[in-house]
Amino acid sequence: MRIGLAQMRVVTNAVNRNVLRVREYMHIAQMQGVDILVCPEMCLTGYFLGDRWECNHLLRATHEAHNSLFADSSAMALVFGSLRVFENAKNEDGRPRKTNAAFVAQNGSNALHFSHPLDCVAKSLSPNYRAFDDSRHFFDSRKWHSELPDTHAHQALLKPFEFTSSNVASRIGITVCEDLWDENYALKPLLLQAPQSDILINISCSPYSDAKETRRRKLLQQAAKATQRPLFYVNCVGTQNIGKTVYGFDGQSLAVAPDGNIVGEGAFFEEQLLIYDVHGGQINPVSQIQMETPTNRTHLTRSALPQKQKALESTLSFVCEEMNIQHCTIGVSGGIDSALSATLFSRVLGPDNLMLVNMPSHYNSQLTRNWAQQLANNLSAPFCEIPIQSAVELTRQQLMETENLANHPRFELSKWVLENVQARDRSARLLAGVAASLRGVFPCNANKAETTVGYSTLYGDQSGFLCPLADLWKFEVYEFAKSYNTLMGHFVIPEGTLNVVPSAELSAEQNIEQGQGDPLVYPYHDHLFRSWVERWERWTPLDVLESYELGTLESDLSIPKGLVRTLFPTSQSFVSDLEKWWSLYSGLAVAKRLQAPPVVSLSRRAFGFDHRETLSGWILTDSLYESIKQRILAKTSFD
Amino acid sequence: MRIGLAQMRVVTNAVNRNVLRVREYMHIAQMQGVDILVCPEMCLTGYFLGDRWECNHLLRATHEAHNSLFADSSAMALVFGSLRVFENAKNEDGRPRKTNAAFVAQNGSNALHFSHPLDCVAKSLSPNYRAFDDSRHFFDSRKWHSELPDTHAHQALLKPFEFTSSNVASRIGITVCEDLWDENYALKPLLLQAPQSDILINISCSPYSDAKETRRRKLLQQAAKATQRPLFYVNCVGTQNIGKTVYGFDGQSLAVAPDGNIVGEGAFFEEQLLIYDVHGGQINPVSQIQMETPTNRTHLTRSALPQKQKALESTLSFVCEEMNIQHCTIGVSGGIDSALSATLFSRVLGPDNLMLVNMPSHYNSQLTRNWAQQLANNLSAPFCEIPIQSAVELTRQQLMETENLANHPRFELSKWVLENVQARDRSARLLAGVAASLRGVFPCNANKAETTVGYSTLYGDQSGFLCPLADLWKFEVYEFAKSYNTLMGHFVIPEGTLNVVPSAELSAEQNIEQGQGDPLVYPYHDHLFRSWVERWERWTPLDVLESYELGTLESDLSIPKGLVRTLFPTSQSFVSDLEKWWSLYSGLAVAKRLQAPPVVSLSRRAFGFDHRETLSGWILTDSLYESIKQRILAKTSFD
């Protein structure tokens, strides 16, 4: 029997377009003699639609799309993920009941209509972590079971469908995405399904993240071995978002033999049709067909860059295509973040479609100004310089000369106020104006460390249409920059930019020529902040202090031995630094992140709706924290 | 038996403070001879914590708080809502298992420790709509049941606790919040619990919304009648938020007799202790004790204003207190939205703590400028005028005179570009600068109609620390403004402001002296947009066209008969208008909302994280929509 895996691109909410793409795959698969063609989870509508599932129009349009696929199906079975709506039943929110499900179209109709209690195979396990909100919209098979335990036994709900090829009937067990990731659930769908099945298929819509590839491979290998069945996994390609967090979908579909060997794998972020023959439980790869795509992204996915960097480029490329972005203005300071951002957009949109803008005040060194210009030359991108000094001076004067304001007892034009005036002048006045005059956008170049503690100005450097770098720690920004220089064989990102101390250059105290810069010590704070944001059971200063007291902090944070002592000679200085940044992270930075642009997700935990937050500072006053803090402060050192 | 309902204020994440408040209630209740004191759901930590539940520190601090309440309890039973953590079991996200639960502290320990399978009463039903994400963090009793059906029968999990008073044992059935709202769930906790119980108690953390009060009363009356039990309902007071959406909690606790009569009700947005005696199923009110609060809010909750307006004032007042906001700068244009905003903040913070700023360009009429000044006089609030013309001119010049920019083939300083330059100049340059120089904040004055279609400029009038009006349609903005004038007995909000055509005054085409203004026709668009946002099964243009074709649109939208024909003489003009606004609502406006400030929620559906959205336009190309559109356009009129 011949199985085709359609590692297809799915465009959110573009039902017509997605149906057309399924048909293209069907056409090619049929010519290749495929018996069963498998498309990903929710491949008609997309999966991350926010609350659009509440519009009955979407439900009707999806139903119409199914029917057309059912009607046009041939002897080849088409397995695809979509939405099953039960108009006469209610979801727990009182709206029509919706189930995330797998369908089989064959011989002009829904092949599961008479054989399966729900006409489809419902997803059994509902993820409700990170980006996933399944229980908000979908009624899973466990809920069906709890309502009607007799007629909806788990086994019956997971029943395979039968496919006969050359007079041999095979039983194909289908599950949907999370059903495979059953580690923390009482119900184990694959183990229930395997004894009834000859072949197992999982259809997914699973976003890229840094650590996932290895975990996914291992999980599938274990599942194939545990079930002793050939296991096929199909994932989509493209981008989808949950509003504030933007994901790439990397494909990397898999065919795994019952002994756990990976027999085939789809390409990274590329649309492909993968074809395999299965006989007696053995899988033989037949071919791996590249799909035609309107814009060629292979220079992004096949470069010598690290996987994570390719993921960022590919995701950004899909985003720009779907948002119809043709031009990008980028504020370049001569620093590393904006240099990386410019290089990235130059790869994705081409240098001709950029405008790099340097906006000096009298605090900006001639060195950084030169590096900004040099970056533009290296990239062959258009460049201009627009100074902000006169506008900043005008603002200062207007505030000072407005009588009722300047006489007000609370009035003070402090250093901080004037620093933020500069940042807002650059972004909200100039960059936004330049980008609009060129009918394009401008990005926010903040990295993850800055985003964690809100080291940015709202309506200033925190603004933009998207934050492509906000899921990269500062050390990763350097790594990516160096990778580009290596890839291109010369200093695209100027050496000076790579070596200078990071600085916002907003005041005389941030003079880079005197080696002065940001208050963040990235080799330490990157890793401290990471423990607050990315650990699955997230750290707070309590965990940090416990680790500090035990003397294991450096190994727990994976930072060089001796670094903490060097940076913080006393416990008091260590604790003060910790509390200062925690207070920002849980306070003002939340307010900034709530108004920040969407973040491209790359790690296992990105800011945005993957990291849900409330506007309520978390001041550490509980006795657990206080007692350990007092103990630490009582000792002068930990020798 | 004497029951006390602690309608207490809960402050998010302030465990120490909340525990102290519970103790204050305990102290007063004991003096009043209360047998059972009931505190709300999640009253120690707050309920809306985003993903902070992932920090084990929070779990430990909560556990510590419980233990202290258990240890200090007397013969009076203390019922309270909090978090039960099962360290040896896993949640479905792989983190420690957490259950939203009710506890009973009595005689120095956890009174449910030996009698109840989970040591507490777990919430049975998990809401996953609107603001609620219960399944993301909490393992409900239905999941416990599905894992261990034998030992965790629903009845056993909902078992009442026994309280003996004057040698009479009463069985007290406790449920948590959603357990009461069981309409759309297969499991009906109250009906399972009632036969085992003499008295029913529901502890809640239920945000205010416009339509909820009546529904809540009716629901509780029905439940008391259906179970034939006295039913007590306790809700908290204060504010909590889910990041982008800010809620008020209105209290309004209830005591309902078995015949469905409401015997007592807590005050709106005020902290109270409500005391009742229960004998033989009858409830007798004993007293309603007002709690001392640091700032007196009674002038807000007891005014003659409509309920919804009082809810807005109270919520805003809690928000300002918790965010430590002492000063507010407000841009006042002379228009209705900013006038309402200024009046609102003047009520909440006092007029001395405001700075009203008018920022005219040469497009602003002397009329609106005068009204802005007049508003400040009426409110007795400080006022200043800072013109933007010179800065806007500087920006225009800088863009025109930057060679590489002005020569660029894409460069165009269109009318739209210059309108947005003005809006950003006002907010990001001036208002942000003024607010910072006064160590305060500035609000965003956008209403719900503008927010729906993004009729605003990002980093311009879309910016601010909070959107107090973004859950009010334009007609409600007028209603609120008129209520203030009535309340205060004179035109606080100037008559001119109330009567002028709404206009952004950003171009010569928006000249109010010639009666020109916004492209939105609020008496129609308010109601059209409402159907897209607030209907439970949300409308799209498909539903609008179907209703238009049937001739029922005006009644479906609750707008005056004949209005649609007057505004749109042809079907073509009707459809064009519909598609134009829909395209903005589902496209560019989403991008703006994602970067907009948090919204104070008042309706049954506010923007923010109550209305989850994705950055992907929804262009209507499906054949359902196309066919009805063609049919409508084919007819010239519908006589």
Side-chain angles (χ1 to χ4, degrees):
Chain A
M1 194 172 50
R2 183 159 286 187
I3 291 190
L5 306 182
Q7 178 171 302
M8 67 178 275
R9 173 156 176 211
V10 174
V11 178
T12 308
N13 223 66
V15 176
N16 286 357
R17 189 206 165 282
N18 294 329
V19 168
L20 205 65
R21 198 60 168 170
V22 170
R23 288 179 192 279
E24 286 165 8
Y25 271 97
M26 286 169 76
H27 182 70
I28 301 170
Q30 253 153 349
M31 293 197 304
Q32 301 289 324
V34 165
D35 294 307
I36 303 177
L37 175 67
V38 189
C39 294
E41 180 185 18
M42 286 291 183
C43 64
L44 305 185
T45 51
Y47 180 32
F48 290 165
L49 295 191
D51 289 343
R52 281 192 194 163
W53 302 109
E54 296 170 0
C55 300
N56 289 340
H57 182 178
L58 180 73
L59 312 187
R60 288 165 65 185
T62 310
H63 189 70
E64 190 190 45
H66 291 182
N67 283 351
S68 81
L69 286 177
F70 289 142
D72 295 352
S73 61
S74 62
M76 179 180 81
L78 171 71
V79 177
F80 65 95
S82 186
L83 187 73
R84 173 79 166 91
V85 183
F86 301 85
E87 277 165 27
N88 298 320
K90 277 190 173 180
N91 249 3
E92 292 178 351
D93 62 2
R95 300 190 178 90
R97 185 170 292 180
K98 292 172 273 289
T99 290
N100 180 344
F103 295 82
V104 182
Q106 197 183 17
N107 297 319
S109 69
N110 177 352
L112 308 185
H113 184 55
F114 295 106
S115 57
H116 282 63
L118 303 174
D119 287 1
C120 59
V121 182
K123 191 171 178 176
S124 298
L125 306 180
S126 289
N128 291 299
Y129 48 81
R130 295 203 57 193
F132 305 108
D133 270 336
D134 269 42
S135 296
R136 186 171 172 91
H137 300 293
F138 309 127
F139 202 83
D140 66 28
S141 80
R142 293 179 298 168
K143 286 187 177 164
W144 279 105
H145 172 73
S146 75
E147 276 198 9
L148 304 157
D150 297 333
T151 50
H152 293 76
H154 288 305
Q155 272 89 346
L157 291 167
L158 286 163
K159 193 175 149 183
F161 85 96
E162 285 212 354
F163 185 88
T164 306
S165 161
S166 321
N167 289 325
V168 181
S170 299
R171 298 164 305 164
I172 318 291
I174 312 174
T175 52
V176 183
C177 204
E178 188 79 352
D179 295 346
L180 192 67
W181 304 75
D182 60 9
E183 185 187 354
N184 301 310
Y185 297 87
L187 184 73
K188 311 288 181 190
L190 261 66
L191 295 182
L192 282 174
Q193 193 174 58
Q196 328 174 50
S197 309
D198 302 306
I199 293 171
L200 299 177
I201 288 173
N202 181 273
I203 61 171
S204 280
C205 179
S206 183
Y208 169 83
S209 79
D210 201 9
K212 198 188 266 177
E213 188 181 3
T214 318
R215 278 181 67 215
R216 189 154 65 190
R217 279 214 190 95
K218 196 184 281 180
L219 183 79
L220 278 148
Q221 292 181 298
Q222 284 168 349
K225 277 203 269 189
T227 58
Q228 287 289 306
R229 298 289 181 280
L231 173 57
F232 295 94
Y233 167 86
V234 187
N235 190 22
C236 61
V237 165
T239 186
Q240 298 189 32
N241 66 82
I242 50 168
K244 297 280 273 190
T245 319
V246 176
Y247 294 91
F249 291 75
D250 55 340
Q252 303 223 80
S253 303
L254 288 166
V256 189
D259 61 4
N261 269 323
I262 292 177
V263 182
E265 179 161 10
F268 191 63
F269 276 96
E270 292 183 44
E271 276 199 289
Q272 292 186 322
L273 172 59
L274 312 170
I275 301 178
Y276 302 94
D277 280 346
V278 188
H279 288 292
Q282 290 309 304
I283 308 176
N284 297 308
V286 176
S287 60
Q288 197 143 338
I289 298 168
Q290 206 67 20
M291 296 297 285
E292 271 180 53
T293 49
T295 48
N296 194 340
R297 284 188 185 83
T298 47
H299 76 286
L300 302 179
T301 52
R302 296 191 186 166
S303 69
L305 292 169
Q307 199 85 322
K308 192 173 188 173
Q309 200 160 350
K310 289 198 276 187
L312 174 56
E313 290 186 344
S314 299
T315 306
L316 193 57
S317 155
F318 284 121
V319 167
C320 288
E321 183 199 321
E322 291 185 16
M323 292 177 76
N324 195 25
I325 288 165
Q326 283 158 11
H327 193 275
C328 189
T329 296
I330 302 169
V332 284
S333 63
I336 186 79
D337 300 302
S338 56
L340 177 62
S341 179
T343 310
L344 181 61
F345 277 98
S346 146
R347 298 260 304 161
V348 168
L349 291 178
D352 292 345
N353 297 314
L354 307 187
M355 173 61 78
L356 308 194
V357 189
N358 184 253
M359 295 163 288
S361 75
H362 61 212
Y363 296 120
N364 292 83
S365 152
Q366 192 57 51
L367 284 174
T368 47
R369 292 169 65 175
N370 290 348
W371 297 330
Q373 164 86 67
Q374 203 180 316
L375 172 75
N377 294 346
N378 296 350
L379 290 171
S380 308
F383 173 84
C384 62
E385 194 177 272
I386 316 181
I388 61 164
Q389 204 58 49
S390 52
V392 168
E393 187 49 34
L394 174 64
T395 302
R396 205 187 58 80
Q397 267 178 28
Q398 280 197 294
L399 299 183
M400 296 292 288
E401 289 166 9
T402 300
E403 203 172 332
N404 284 354
L405 178 63
N407 295 340
H408 195 285
R410 293 178 71 94
F411 181 78
E412 188 193 353
L413 272 191
S414 68
K415 184 177 137 254
W416 310 110
V417 172
L418 289 171
E419 287 186 15
N420 288 323
V421 165
Q422 294 170 61
R424 286 191 298 265
D425 203 80
R426 287 200 176 98
S427 296
R429 194 178 67 87
L430 286 180
L431 279 183
V434 171
S437 73
L438 296 171
R439 281 169 288 132
V441 296
F442 69 101
C444 167
N445 302 327
N447 60 51
K448 196 167 188 173
E450 291 168 338
T451 306
T452 303
V453 290
Y455 186 62
S456 64
T457 301
L458 215 47
Y459 321 130
D461 51 322
Q462 187 60 78
S463 52
F465 84 107
L466 189 77
C467 300
L469 311 184
D471 204 20
L472 297 178
W473 299 102
K474 191 80 171 186
F475 75 88
E476 293 176 302
V477 170
Y478 281 103
E479 280 174 12
F480 277 35
K482 287 174 193 161
S483 291
Y484 277 133
N485 283 354
T486 306
L487 181 78
M488 304 189 192
H490 64 285
F491 277 105
V492 173
I493 295 177
E495 200 173 0
T497 296
L498 281 164
N499 295 330
V500 72
V501 57
S503 171
E505 294 190 284
L506 288 168
S507 69
E509 287 73 44
Q510 297 177 323
N511 187 331
I512 57 137
E513 296 181 30
Q514 292 163 25
Q516 293 161 331
D518 293 350
L520 288 160
V521 184
Y522 294 103
Y524 168 67
H525 289 118
D526 264 358
H527 301 275
L528 176 70
F529 299 165
R530 197 172 201 175
S531 77
W532 300 345
V533 178
E534 292 186 4
R535 282 188 183 236
W536 199 248
E537 298 181 25
R538 289 194 284 143
W539 272 24
T540 70
L542 177 70
D543 307 278
V544 178
L545 287 194
E546 285 179 341
S547 171
Y548 179 81
E549 189 175 32
L550 279 171
T552 58
L553 185 62
E554 286 152 351
S555 63
D556 284 342
L557 296 183
S558 306
I559 55 177
K561 204 157 169 49
L563 180 61
V564 170
R565 184 76 55 86
T566 310
L567 294 175
F568 308 106
T570 66
S571 300
Q572 180 62 62
S573 63
F574 175 79
V575 171
S576 301
D577 178 85
L578 180 66
E579 292 188 342
K580 174 179 105 175
W581 294 116
W582 174 263
S583 152
L584 285 166
Y585 161 67
S586 68
L588 200 52
V590 177
K592 292 182 184 178
R593 284 193 290 272
L594 290 175
Q595 296 193 42
V599 170
V600 177
S601 174
L602 296 168
S603 74
R604 74 188 312 203
R605 199 69 185 272
F607 285 117
F609 287 161
D610 177 8
H611 183 270
R612 301 184 188 173
E613 302 188 278
T614 55
L615 271 173
S616 61
W618 185 356
I619 299 157
L620 302 163
T621 53
D622 56 274
S623 65
L624 294 168
Y625 181 78
E626 273 305 315
S627 61
I628 185 168
K629 176 177 159 183
Q630 292 318 323
R631 220 160 52 222
I632 285 173
L633 292 182
K635 300 190 194 177
T636 40
S637 80
F638 276 86
D639 292 308
Chain B
M1 193 170 51
R2 184 160 286 188
I3 291 190
L5 307 182
Q7 178 171 301
M8 65 179 274
R9 172 153 177 216
V10 174
V11 179
T12 308
N13 222 64
V15 177
N16 286 358
R17 190 206 165 283
N18 294 329
V19 169
L20 205 64
R21 199 58 167 169
V22 171
R23 287 179 193 279
E24 286 165 8
Y25 271 96
M26 286 169 76
H27 182 69
I28 301 170
Q30 252 152 349
M31 293 196 303
Q32 301 288 324
V34 165
D35 294 308
I36 303 177
L37 175 68
V38 189
C39 295
E41 181 185 18
M42 286 291 183
C43 63
L44 305 186
T45 51
Y47 181 31
F48 290 166
L49 295 192
D51 288 344
R52 282 193 193 161
W53 302 110
E54 297 169 0
C55 300
N56 289 341
H57 183 178
L58 179 73
L59 311 187
R60 288 164 64 185
T62 310
H63 189 69
E64 190 189 44
H66 290 181
N67 284 351
S68 80
L69 286 178
F70 290 142
D72 296 351
S73 60
S74 62
M76 179 178 83
L78 171 72
V79 177
F80 65 95
S82 186
L83 186 73
R84 174 78 166 92
V85 182
F86 301 85
E87 276 165 26
N88 298 321
K90 276 190 174 179
N91 249 1
E92 292 178 351
D93 63 3
R95 299 189 179 92
R97 184 171 293 180
K98 292 172 274 289
T99 290
N100 181 344
F103 295 82
V104 182
Q106 198 184 16
N107 296 320
S109 68
N110 178 351
L112 309 185
H113 185 56
F114 295 106
S115 57
H116 283 63
L118 303 174
D119 288 359
C120 59
V121 182
K123 193 171 177 176
S124 297
L125 306 180
S126 289
N128 291 297
Y129 49 81
R130 296 204 56 194
F132 305 109
D133 270 336
D134 268 41
S135 296
R136 186 170 173 91
H137 300 293
F138 308 128
F139 202 82
D140 66 29
S141 80
R142 294 179 298 168
K143 284 186 179 165
W144 279 106
H145 172 74
S146 76
E147 275 199 8
L148 303 157
D150 298 331
T151 51
H152 293 76
H154 288 306
Q155 272 88 346
L157 290 167
L158 285 164
K159 194 175 148 183
F161 85 95
E162 284 211 354
F163 184 88
T164 306
S165 162
S166 319
N167 290 326
V168 181
S170 299
R171 297 164 306 162
I172 319 290
I174 312 173
T175 52
V176 183
C177 203
E178 188 79 353
D179 295 346
L180 193 67
W181 303 76
D182 60 9
E183 187 186 352
N184 301 310
Y185 297 88
L187 184 73
K188 311 288 181 190
L190 261 66
L191 295 182
L192 281 175
Q193 193 174 58
Q196 330 173 47
S197 309
D198 303 306
I199 293 171
L200 298 177
I201 288 173
N202 181 272
I203 61 171
S204 280
C205 179
S206 183
Y208 169 84
S209 80
D210 201 9
K212 198 188 267 178
E213 188 181 2
T214 318
R215 277 180 68 216
R216 189 155 65 189
R217 280 215 191 95
K218 196 183 282 179
L219 183 79
L220 276 148
Q221 292 182 295
Q222 284 168 349
K225 277 202 270 190
T227 57
Q228 287 291 305
R229 298 290 181 280
L231 173 57
F232 294 93
Y233 167 85
V234 186
N235 190 22
C236 60
V237 164
T239 185
Q240 299 189 33
N241 66 81
I242 51 168
K244 297 279 274 188
T245 319
V246 176
Y247 294 92
F249 290 77
D250 56 340
Q252 303 223 82
S253 304
L254 288 168
V256 190
D259 62 3
N261 270 324
I262 292 176
V263 181
E265 180 161 8
F268 191 63
F269 276 97
E270 292 183 45
E271 275 198 290
Q272 292 186 322
L273 172 59
L274 312 170
I275 301 179
Y276 302 95
D277 280 344
V278 189
H279 290 290
Q282 291 309 305
I283 308 177
N284 297 309
V286 177
S287 60
Q288 198 142 337
I289 299 168
Q290 206 68 18
M291 296 296 285
E292 272 179 52
T293 48
T295 49
N296 195 340
R297 284 189 185 80
T298 48
H299 76 286
L300 303 179
T301 52
R302 295 189 187 169
S303 68
L305 293 168
Q307 198 85 322
K308 192 173 188 172
Q309 200 160 348
K310 290 198 272 187
L312 174 56
E313 288 185 342
S314 299
T315 306
L316 193 57
S317 156
F318 284 121
V319 167
C320 288
E321 183 199 320
E322 292 185 17
M323 292 177 78
N324 195 24
I325 287 165
Q326 285 157 12
H327 193 273
C328 188
T329 295
I330 302 169
V332 284
S333 64
I336 185 79
D337 300 302
S338 56
L340 177 62
S341 180
T343 310
L344 181 60
F345 276 98
S346 147
R347 296 260 304 160
V348 169
L349 291 178
D352 293 345
N353 297 314
L354 307 187
M355 172 61 78
L356 308 194
V357 189
N358 184 253
M359 296 163 289
S361 76
H362 61 213
Y363 295 121
N364 291 83
S365 151
Q366 192 57 50
L367 285 174
T368 47
R369 292 171 64 175
N370 291 348
W371 296 331
Q373 165 86 67
Q374 202 180 319
L375 172 74
N377 294 346
N378 296 351
L379 290 171
S380 308
F383 173 84
C384 62
E385 194 177 272
I386 317 181
I388 62 164
Q389 204 58 49
S390 53
V392 168
E393 188 49 34
L394 174 64
T395 303
R396 205 188 58 80
Q397 267 179 29
Q398 280 198 294
L399 299 183
M400 296 293 286
E401 289 167 10
T402 300
E403 204 172 331
N404 284 356
L405 178 62
N407 295 339
H408 195 286
R410 292 178 73 94
F411 181 79
E412 189 193 352
L413 272 190
S414 69
K415 184 175 135 258
W416 310 110
V417 173
L418 289 172
E419 288 186 14
N420 288 323
V421 165
Q422 294 169 63
R424 286 190 298 264
D425 203 79
R426 288 199 176 99
S427 296
R429 194 178 67 86
L430 286 180
L431 279 182
V434 171
S437 74
L438 296 170
R439 281 168 290 132
V441 296
F442 68 101
C444 168
N445 302 329
N447 61 50
K448 196 165 187 174
E450 292 168 337
T451 307
T452 303
V453 291
Y455 186 63
S456 64
T457 300
L458 215 47
Y459 322 130
D461 51 323
Q462 186 61 78
S463 51
F465 85 106
L466 188 77
C467 299
L469 311 183
D471 203 22
L472 297 178
W473 299 102
K474 190 79 171 185
F475 74 88
E476 294 176 302
V477 170
Y478 282 102
E479 281 174 12
F480 277 35
K482 287 174 193 160
S483 291
Y484 277 133
N485 283 353
T486 306
L487 181 78
M488 303 190 194
H490 64 284
F491 277 104
V492 174
I493 294 177
E495 198 172 0
T497 296
L498 281 163
N499 294 330
V500 72
V501 57
S503 171
E505 294 190 285
L506 288 168
S507 68
E509 287 74 43
Q510 297 177 323
N511 187 330
I512 58 140
E513 297 181 31
Q514 292 164 26
Q516 293 160 331
D518 293 350
L520 289 160
V521 183
Y522 295 103
Y524 168 67
H525 289 118
D526 264 359
H527 302 275
L528 176 70
F529 300 166
R530 197 172 201 175
S531 77
W532 300 345
V533 177
E534 293 187 3
R535 281 188 184 237
W536 200 247
E537 297 182 25
R538 289 195 283 143
W539 271 25
T540 70
L542 176 69
D543 306 279
V544 177
L545 287 193
E546 284 179 342
S547 171
Y548 179 82
E549 190 175 33
L550 279 171
T552 59
L553 184 62
E554 286 152 350
S555 63
D556 284 341
L557 296 184
S558 306
I559 55 177
K561 204 157 168 52
L563 180 62
V564 170
R565 183 76 55 85
T566 311
L567 295 175
F568 308 106
T570 66
S571 301
Q572 181 62 61
S573 63
F574 175 79
V575 171
S576 301
D577 178 84
L578 180 66
E579 293 189 342
K580 174 179 104 176
W581 294 116
W582 174 263
S583 152
L584 285 167
Y585 161 66
S586 68
L588 200 52
V590 178
K592 291 181 185 178
R593 285 193 290 272
L594 289 175
Q595 295 193 41
V599 170
V600 178
S601 175
L602 296 168
S603 74
R604 73 188 313 203
R605 200 68 185 272
F607 284 117
F609 206 26
D610 176 9
H611 183 269
R612 302 185 188 174
E613 303 188 277
T614 55
L615 271 172
S616 61
W618 185 357
I619 299 156
L620 301 162
T621 53
D622 57 275
S623 65
L624 294 167
Y625 181 78
E626 273 305 315
S627 63
I628 185 167
K629 174 177 161 183
Q630 292 318 321
R631 217 158 56 219
I632 285 172
L633 293 182
K635 301 190 192 175
T636 41
S637 81
F638 276 86
D639 292 307

